Amino acid sequence: GWIPILVYLIAFTVNLLFVIISGPNMGGDSGRYYGYADTLLSGDSVEASMLLLYGGYIGVVSLAKIITGDVGNYLWLIIIFQATLSASIPVMLYFSGRIIKPDSNPYIMAGLSLFLGVGCYDHLLWTRYILTDSIFVTLMVLVMYSIVRGIYTGAWWTAFVIGILVFPFRPLSQLVFVLVAIAWIWWFI
């Protein structure tokens, strides 16, 4: 229906305004991602450990540089991509709540989802940084939604697929596989 679309549009607007006001921000690892993206784009080899642990984000930075022609606008493209992606967090919270309690008031659920998804300072904070955090958090919420969906509908394949997608954005994503496995075993028991 229209409620998830409205939730997404509100979250996206808040994200984008926050990013426009604050501008792209650099973190301690931002330079490392740029350096590895430049190395990758120049055709040189990148350490296998970096590709395995952060290859997803290095790929995002590389793709942004390819699209913009490496003219500095790639920073804004990355930030807009992160704001667009992370605006889906409240929508996933909304869908999770509707799966758990289908007879709940959809307007109250939408308000709670926006409060939890957009009102979370960490969510806004990391969206404006050129770091893996906002993409990782978004993918983790998607994994949680997939686990909820798996528990209530039996559709587990998405949790495993999303769990695999999380891996190249953060080294600690190995915990996702443990979490999905525990939830899957619990469902079968």
Side-chain angles (χ1 to χ4, degrees), residues 62-78:
S62 299
L63 185 60
K65 285 185 171 202
I66 290 169
I67 290 171
T68 61
D70 195 18
V71 291
N73 290 332
Y74 71 94
L75 297 176
W76 278 104
L77 183 60
I78 294 168

Short mmCIF file of all heavy atoms in Angstrom, two decimals, residues 62-78:
data_model
loop_
_atom_site.label_atom_id
_atom_site.label_comp_id
_atom_site.label_asym_id
_atom_site.label_seq_id
_atom_site.Cartn_x
_atom_site.Cartn_y
_atom_site.Cartn_z
N SER A 62 34.49 2.78 -5.99
CA SER A 62 35.00 2.63 -7.36
C SER A 62 33.90 2.95 -8.38
O SER A 62 34.14 3.66 -9.35
CB SER A 62 35.51 1.21 -7.60
OG SER A 62 36.57 0.91 -6.74
N LEU A 63 32.71 2.42 -8.16
CA LEU A 63 31.60 2.65 -9.08
C LEU A 63 31.23 4.13 -9.12
O LEU A 63 30.98 4.69 -10.20
CB LEU A 63 30.40 1.81 -8.67
CG LEU A 63 29.19 1.87 -9.60
CD1 LEU A 63 29.56 1.38 -11.00
CD2 LEU A 63 28.05 1.02 -9.03
N ALA A 64 31.23 4.79 -7.96
CA ALA A 64 30.93 6.23 -7.92
C ALA A 64 31.98 7.02 -8.70
O ALA A 64 31.65 7.97 -9.41
CB ALA A 64 30.86 6.71 -6.47
N LYS A 65 33.25 6.62 -8.59
CA LYS A 65 34.31 7.30 -9.33
C LYS A 65 34.15 7.08 -10.84
O LYS A 65 34.39 7.98 -11.63
CB LYS A 65 35.68 6.82 -8.87
CG LYS A 65 36.08 7.38 -7.52
CD LYS A 65 37.48 6.97 -7.16
CE LYS A 65 37.93 7.72 -5.93
NZ LYS A 65 39.37 7.79 -5.82
N ILE A 66 33.74 5.89 -11.23
CA ILE A 66 33.52 5.60 -12.65
C ILE A 66 32.36 6.44 -13.18
O ILE A 66 32.45 7.05 -14.25
CB ILE A 66 33.25 4.09 -12.87
CG1 ILE A 66 34.52 3.29 -12.63
CG2 ILE A 66 32.71 3.83 -14.27
CD1 ILE A 66 34.30 1.78 -12.56
N ILE A 67 31.26 6.49 -12.44
CA ILE A 67 30.06 7.21 -12.89
C ILE A 67 30.32 8.71 -13.02
O ILE A 67 29.91 9.34 -13.98
CB ILE A 67 28.88 6.94 -11.93
CG1 ILE A 67 28.41 5.50 -12.08
CG2 ILE A 67 27.72 7.91 -12.20
CD1 ILE A 67 27.40 5.06 -11.04
N THR A 68 31.03 9.28 -12.04
CA THR A 68 31.25 10.73 -12.04
C THR A 68 32.52 11.14 -12.77
O THR A 68 32.78 12.32 -12.93
CB THR A 68 31.33 11.28 -10.61
OG1 THR A 68 32.44 10.66 -9.94
CG2 THR A 68 30.05 11.04 -9.86
N GLY A 69 33.31 10.18 -13.21
CA GLY A 69 34.56 10.52 -13.88
C GLY A 69 35.62 11.00 -12.93
O GLY A 69 36.53 11.73 -13.32
N ASP A 70 35.51 10.64 -11.66
CA ASP A 70 36.51 10.98 -10.64
C ASP A 70 36.73 12.48 -10.53
O ASP A 70 37.85 12.96 -10.49
CB ASP A 70 37.82 10.24 -10.94
CG ASP A 70 38.76 10.25 -9.74
OD1 ASP A 70 38.31 10.50 -8.61
OD2 ASP A 70 39.94 10.00 -9.94
N VAL A 71 35.64 13.27 -10.49
CA VAL A 71 35.77 14.72 -10.44
C VAL A 71 35.35 15.32 -9.10
O VAL A 71 34.98 16.47 -9.03
CB VAL A 71 34.95 15.38 -11.58
CG1 VAL A 71 35.55 15.09 -12.92
CG2 VAL A 71 33.50 14.95 -11.52
N GLY A 72 35.36 14.57 -8.07
CA GLY A 72 35.00 15.11 -6.76
C GLY A 72 33.52 14.97 -6.44
O GLY A 72 33.14 14.98 -5.28
N ASN A 73 32.69 14.90 -7.47
CA ASN A 73 31.26 14.70 -7.21
C ASN A 73 30.97 13.29 -6.74
O ASN A 73 29.87 13.01 -6.29
CB ASN A 73 30.44 14.99 -8.48
CG ASN A 73 30.43 16.46 -8.81
OD1 ASN A 73 30.57 17.30 -7.93
ND2 ASN A 73 30.27 16.76 -10.08
N TYR A 74 31.94 12.42 -6.83
CA TYR A 74 31.72 11.04 -6.39
C TYR A 74 31.43 10.98 -4.89
O TYR A 74 30.70 10.10 -4.44
CB TYR A 74 32.87 10.12 -6.78
CG TYR A 74 34.15 10.32 -6.01
CD1 TYR A 74 34.42 9.56 -4.88
CD2 TYR A 74 35.10 11.24 -6.41
CE1 TYR A 74 35.58 9.73 -4.17
CE2 TYR A 74 36.27 11.41 -5.72
CZ TYR A 74 36.51 10.66 -4.60
OH TYR A 74 37.66 10.83 -3.90
N LEU A 75 31.93 11.92 -4.12
CA LEU A 75 31.63 11.95 -2.69
C LEU A 75 30.14 12.16 -2.47
O LEU A 75 29.50 11.48 -1.67
CB LEU A 75 32.41 13.05 -1.98
CG LEU A 75 33.93 12.92 -1.99
CD1 LEU A 75 34.56 14.13 -1.33
CD2 LEU A 75 34.35 11.64 -1.31
N TRP A 76 29.56 13.12 -3.20
CA TRP A 76 28.13 13.37 -3.08
C TRP A 76 27.32 12.19 -3.59
O TRP A 76 26.28 11.86 -3.01
CB TRP A 76 27.74 14.65 -3.81
CG TRP A 76 28.01 15.86 -2.98
CD1 TRP A 76 29.05 16.73 -3.11
CD2 TRP A 76 27.26 16.30 -1.85
NE1 TRP A 76 28.99 17.69 -2.15
CE2 TRP A 76 27.90 17.46 -1.36
CE3 TRP A 76 26.12 15.85 -1.22
CZ2 TRP A 76 27.42 18.16 -0.25
CZ3 TRP A 76 25.64 16.55 -0.12
CH2 TRP A 76 26.29 17.69 0.35
N LEU A 77 27.77 11.54 -4.66
CA LEU A 77 27.06 10.38 -5.19
C LEU A 77 27.02 9.25 -4.16
O LEU A 77 25.98 8.62 -3.97
CB LEU A 77 27.71 9.90 -6.49
CG LEU A 77 27.01 8.74 -7.19
CD1 LEU A 77 25.59 9.11 -7.58
CD2 LEU A 77 27.81 8.30 -8.41
N ILE A 78 28.14 9.03 -3.48
CA ILE A 78 28.19 7.99 -2.43
C ILE A 78 27.22 8.34 -1.31
O ILE A 78 26.45 7.49 -0.84
CB ILE A 78 29.62 7.82 -1.89
CG1 ILE A 78 30.54 7.26 -2.96
CG2 ILE A 78 29.63 6.92 -0.65
CD1 ILE A 78 32.02 7.33 -2.61
#
